[in-house]
Amino acid sequence: MVSHKLPELFAPGEVQLLASSGKPLVLGYSVYSYVRRSDSRPDQFTYNNSRSSDPVSGFDVQLPRFWLLAIDQLMERAESEDKEVLENGVMLEYMHELSFEGSDYKFLVSKFPVKSEGFEFLFSTFRNVTFYLDCVDEIGSRKVLFSLVAENMTDVFCVVGTDARLAFMSASIKNLTGYNAEEISCIPLSNILTPDSFSRLVKTWEDLRQPDFGIRKQLFEIEFIRDDHEKRWAEVTAASFAGPDGHILGVHALIRDISERKAMQEELRSSLEREIELSNVKSKYISTISHEFRTPLSIIYSNLQLLENHRFELDADTINDAFELSRMAVKSLLRVLDKVTVIDAVKKGKLEFKPALTDLKLLCSSLVKELNEMEMVPDRIDLLIGQMPDEIWVDESLFSHIFTNLLLNALKFSDKKSRVKFEVYMISPGLAGFAITDHGIGIPEDEMSYIFEPFYRASNSKHARGSGLGLAVVGDCLKLHRGEISFESKTGIGSIFKVVLPVAGEAGIQG
Ligand code: ADP
């Protein structure tokens, strides 16, 4: 049940309000009274100081000096006033004002005629209402002020009793959540908070409403779901508040939408992470590439030295070998550069898919010829081409990146004496299939899912040189060519990589 008003903080007979410090202030009035029988003098004088919050010590015979003066003045007029009230049987009430030591006081004088058991009495009270009246004014203006603030603020202010009942919720809740106060009080909190935020709120609530721990304050963040299903973040400043006797009455909370701030923080955090990842990738790049460059460069260097220092003593075969080794080392350098260039071009969106009508048989045979010549032990690739149209749509450059890397891996990760099979066939008129089979070291099962990641090299492949970039290039180029790759492998037995490429007319494969 929602009360759209602040909880009633004022106990009857006294005035209580929250002072600006947040501490409850108990205000009230003091009363001096007497009773007079119609035929006698006043008697049964009492003084009650109801300003005290402790009712037992509220009775105080020690009257303040301004009170003594007020009583003097009022008793002077009492004789005639009392007589008039008793005779007319009509109540008399007026305000008596008094200046004392620079302060102004107001006393409410009330005289009631009372008839009982044949006797006529008069009951007279003098109440010091100076402070009370001031406070009534103040409370009036504070209430108005509070409503103005509560109803116009963009943050949400709410008060919840220790029994978890919502006592007040500012109208701004509608802006924050899309629900008004009435609606939100009917929805279980677990429905509008994410599970983490809900358990944080429950924990905080239990902590705040503990009666034994005094006033507590908590600042925390919650993620909530608006009525339009949008998830947003809020910062909550919640504090418990107590009544005059120190008992915790409930919790008030200020709720602020911090989604934009959170999004900015998140953006900053992820760009920082990206920056760190980028710098890690860069340094890995540099160390891998420099490592990949070192071996071929030292091969070239040592062969140049050999030729320079011993050119007149060397026989023709040794000179040819020196040139051949250097040529292969240069080729291997170019291959590394090629991979780096492709990856860089893909990242920058500069590598495009440009299919053209191609004689696939010719393309495959020249690629195989080139690779067969490249290796120390030549002619290890067997090319098997099935029935094929004369021309199909292929991007030659992407094609060559894909199959050079796959075939070189098959050669590199298998024994120099074993053969590699390269099968090319049509799956359907618009779809070409390729399979590369080797009888090499295979890929460990638990590492299979990582081999297409840049720089990843399986634990059993360290003996063979490599950068871990070849399959990343294959993946990038296949994506551009809209092809697919799959593989099967068994350590110690070998691997088969299968590729499917769409090769239909230009319109058929451009998307
Ligand atoms: P590189 O060959 O330069 O190491 P790749 O990206 O081409 O890098 O390959 C990543 C890893 O995948 C290789 O290091 C190797 O562990 C594994 N791999 C790829 N092809 C084969 C294959 N045919 N046989 C065994 N392992 C392979």
Side-chain angles (χ1 to χ4, degrees), residues 292 339 405-406 408-414 436 438 440-444 447 450-462 464-474 489 494-497:
E292 273 292 272
K339 289 179 196 173
N405 281 300
L406 290 176
L408 282 177
N409 276 351
L411 293 169
K412 185 165 68 176
F413 294 116
S414 58
I436 295 160
D438 68 58
I441 59 171
I443 300 159
E447 296 182 68
Y450 306 115
I451 61 167
F452 284 89
E453 281 175 21
F455 303 112
Y456 191 84
R457 308 200 69 221
S459 50
N460 62 342
S461 67
K462 303 287 186 261
R465 288 210 347 264
S467 57
L469 291 174
L471 288 183
V473 168
V474 171
S489 186
S495 311
I496 172 162
F497 282 80

Side-chain angles (χ1 to χ4, degrees), residues 340-366:
V340 176
T341 316
V342 171
I343 289 188
D344 191 48
V346 171
K347 294 276 171 292
K348 290 180 178 156
K350 284 188 179 159
L351 198 67
E352 285 173 25
F353 175 46
K354 289 186 193 142
L357 271 177
T358 312
D359 179 347
L360 191 64
K361 274 188 191 170
L362 193 65
L363 183 65
C364 293
S365 359
S366 46

Side-chain angles (χ1 to χ4, degrees), residues 460-501:
N460 62 342
S461 67
K462 303 287 186 261
H463 70 284
R465 288 210 347 264
S467 57
L469 291 174
L471 288 183
V473 168
V474 171
D476 282 346
C477 293
L478 272 172
K479 218 179 274 170
L480 283 173
H481 212 301
R482 292 169 194 127
E484 279 172 17
I485 188 163
S486 60
F487 68 93
E488 287 163 35
S489 186
K490 216 167 173 63
T491 43
I493 306 283
S495 311
I496 172 162
F497 282 80
K498 288 184 179 168
V499 171
V500 174
L501 277 190

Side-chain angles (χ1 to χ4, degrees), residues 282-336:
K282 270 183 194 160
S283 66
K284 199 154 187 190
Y285 226 67
I286 291 165
S287 76
T288 311
I289 302 307
S290 53
H291 185 258
E292 273 292 272
F293 270 41
R294 190 162 293 128
T295 319
L297 281 175
S298 51
I299 292 174
I300 297 166
Y301 186 67
S302 59
N303 280 300
L304 279 177
Q305 269 186 329
L306 180 77
L307 292 170
E308 189 179 33
N309 297 338
H310 306 282
R311 71 186 106 164
F312 303 114
E313 306 143 37
L314 298 174
D315 58 39
D317 282 353
T318 316
I319 292 172
N320 280 344
D321 280 355
F323 278 124
E324 180 58 15
L325 282 171
S326 305
R327 194 181 61 80
M328 278 167 54
V330 170
K331 283 234 168 191
S332 124
L333 281 177
L334 289 174
R335 280 204 302 269
V336 178

Side-chain angles (χ1 to χ4, degrees), residues 232-275:
R232 293 188 75 82
W233 279 94
E235 181 185 77
V236 184
T237 315
S240 50
F241 65 91
D245 58 357
H247 258 82
I248 300 298
L249 295 178
V251 170
H252 57 80
L254 199 64
I255 307 165
R256 171 168 299 177
D257 191 333
I258 53 159
S259 310
E260 271 70 41
R261 190 175 88 195
K262 272 283 216 201
M264 261 166 65
Q265 282 172 347
E266 187 51 38
E267 176 58 31
L268 272 176
R269 201 185 54 78
S270 62
S271 63
L272 190 70
E273 266 176 14
R274 268 201 307 276
E275 233 8 81

